[in-house]
C-alpha cells in the first residue's frame, strides 16, 4: 500500500520530556511537511523539507526540531521547550514542483500530562 | 505576510440548500489555490484546485483576483458533504499555508 504512515497515533508525555513523532512515505515524494492542527486555528506549518538533508522553519517552529536524513522519512521532535505541545500533528508530502497537492497521514495526537 | 481568512468556523444548512464557504487571501503575486476536505475519521485530502477549473462532488471554486477570494460553492448540499473544509492558497507550490477551516454541517 502506498501512502504516508504516522506513528504513534496516540502519545502521552510528561512535562519536560522530548517526544519524537514518526512520518514515513513510500510515494517517492520529494517534499514533506509537518502541521499542527488545533480547534479554531486550522493547520499551522511547523517545518517543511524539499530535499534530503535540508529543511525550513514554518510559522510555528519554536520548540520543535526535525531531520531529513532519508527521502522517505521526516521525524518531528517535540521538545520540552514547546509550551503548548498538546495537539494533533499531521504529516504530509508531495512531489516537488507538483501543483501543490499534499498527501496527508492519519495524524498523531500528543497529550502532555 | 501571507494571510488566509476563512471567516466562518461553522456553517449549517439543510439538505438541498446552496452552500458557499468563504476564503479570502492577502499577499502579492499569483497564488495557486486549493480546497482540502476532511471527512469524519478520514484523512485530509485535496478537494479541488483552481488551476484545473474542475467540479468535484458538485463543488466549484472561482478565483476572484479583484476581491482576492476563492469561495467554494455547491448549489445543492448533501448530507455527505458534512466535513471540515480548508482553503489553502500557496505563495509558491513549496509552502502551503492553510486557513483556519470551516466546518460544514448539512442537516437532513
Amino acid at each position: 500500500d502506498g501512502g504516508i504512515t504516522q506513528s504513534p497515533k496516540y502519545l502521552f508525555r510528561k512535562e519536560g520530556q522530548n517526544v519524537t513523532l514518526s512520518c514515513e512515505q513510500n510515494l517517492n515524494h520529494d517534499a514533506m511537511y509537518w502541521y499542527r492542527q488545533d480547534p479554531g486555528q486550522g493547520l499551522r506549518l511547523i517545518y517543511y523539507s524539499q530535499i534530503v538533508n535540508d529543511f525550513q522553519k514554518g510559522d510555528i517552529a519554536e520548540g520543535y526540531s526535525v531531520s531529513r536524513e532519508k527521502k522517505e522519512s521526516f521525524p518531528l521532535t517535540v521538545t520540552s521547550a514547546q509550551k503548548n505541545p498538546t495537539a494533533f500533528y499531521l504529516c504530509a508530502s508531495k512531489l516537488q514542483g507538483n501543483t501543490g497537492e499534499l498527501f496527508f497521514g492519519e495524524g498523531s495526537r500528543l497529550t502532555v500530562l | 505576510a501571507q494571510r488566509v481568512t476563512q471567516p466562518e468556523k461553522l456553517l449549517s444548512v439543510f439538505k438541498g440548500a446552496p452552500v458557499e464557504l468563504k476564503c479570502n487571501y492577502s499577499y502579492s503575486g499569483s497564488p495557486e489555490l486549493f480546497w482540502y476536505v476532511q471527512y469524519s475519521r478520514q484523512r485530509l485530502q485535496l478537494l479541488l484546485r483552481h488551476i484545473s477549473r474542475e467540479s468535484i462532488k458538485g463543488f466549484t471554486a472561482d478565483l476572484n483576483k479583484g476581491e482576492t477570494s476563492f469561495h467554494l460553492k455547491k448549489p445543492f448540499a448533501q448530507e455527505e458533504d458534512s466535513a471540515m473544509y480548508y482553503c489553502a492558497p500557496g505563495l509558491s507550490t513549496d509552502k502551503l499555508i492553510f486557513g483556519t477551516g470551516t466546518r460544514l454541517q448539512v442537516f437532513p
Side-chain angles (χ1 to χ4, degrees):
Chain A
D1 258 348
I4 301 178
T5 302
Q6 289 185 241
S7 63
K9 280 192 176 180
Y10 301 95
L11 187 60
F12 297 88
R13 181 195 101 174
K14 292 182 180 178
E15 279 193 27
Q17 290 181 334
N18 292 355
V19 63
T20 298
L21 307 180
S22 170
C23 179
E24 305 276 332
Q25 55 96 2
N26 59 8
L27 300 167
N28 200 31
H29 284 173
D30 305 292
M32 297 186 74
Y33 300 76
W34 274 105
Y35 290 91
R36 172 178 170 145
Q37 188 176 30
D38 296 286
Q41 298 195 58
L43 273 70
R44 291 181 291 168
L45 182 63
I46 304 172
Y47 268 99
Y48 65 107
S49 168
Q50 297 174 27
I51 56 172
V52 175
N53 292 323
D54 188 40
F55 48 83
Q56 287 80 38
K57 292 183 179 180
D59 299 322
I60 56 164
E62 185 175 348
Y64 300 98
S65 66
V66 294
S67 63
R68 187 84 188 277
E69 297 177 2
K70 298 185 296 182
K71 186 176 185 178
E72 56 270 22
S73 179
F74 192 42
L76 173 74
T77 297
V78 185
T79 75
S80 56
Q82 170 48 234
K83 295 179 180 176
N84 296 298
T86 294
F88 191 62
Y89 292 89
L90 284 171
C91 180
S93 70
K94 75 172 183 71
L95 285 169
Q96 189 72 303
N98 179 272
T99 51
E101 179 175 3
L102 285 173
F103 291 82
F104 283 87
E106 292 185 308
S108 294
R109 182 166 298 281
L110 172 64
T111 303
V112 175
L113 304 173
Chain B
Q2 302 176 49
R3 195 166 185 176
V4 180
T5 305
Q6 290 183 251
E8 303 131 334
K9 287 190 176 180
L10 175 65
L11 184 62
S12 299
V13 301
F14 286 102
K15 177 182 172 180
V19 167
E20 182 179 52
L21 289 83
K22 293 183 168 57
C23 173
N24 289 89
Y25 64 93
S26 63
Y27 52 79
S28 59
S30 296
E32 298 210 37
L33 292 154
F34 312 87
W35 276 98
Y36 283 78
V37 61
Q38 189 171 29
Y39 301 104
S40 179
R41 298 191 184 88
Q42 293 188 29
R43 301 179 188 220
L44 194 59
Q45 59 188 288
L46 180 68
L47 178 63
L48 59 78
R49 68 193 83 185
H50 92 278
I51 196 170
S52 302
R53 298 184 178 277
E54 57 199 348
S55 172
I56 303 294
K57 297 184 179 181
F59 284 98
T60 58
D62 292 321
L63 173 61
N64 186 321
K65 290 187 178 180
E67 296 180 359
T68 58
S69 69
F70 187 53
H71 303 329
L72 184 68
K73 301 177 184 178
K74 185 169 183 176
F76 308 104
Q78 303 300 314
E79 289 179 69
E80 55 266 28
D81 295 328
S82 295
M84 194 75 182
Y85 291 82
Y86 290 96
C87 178
L91 181 61
S92 73
T93 57
D94 294 320
K95 181 182 178 183
L96 279 185
I97 60 168
F98 285 81
T100 51
T102 298
R103 179 167 297 281
L104 174 64
Q105 288 182 333
V106 182
F107 295 109

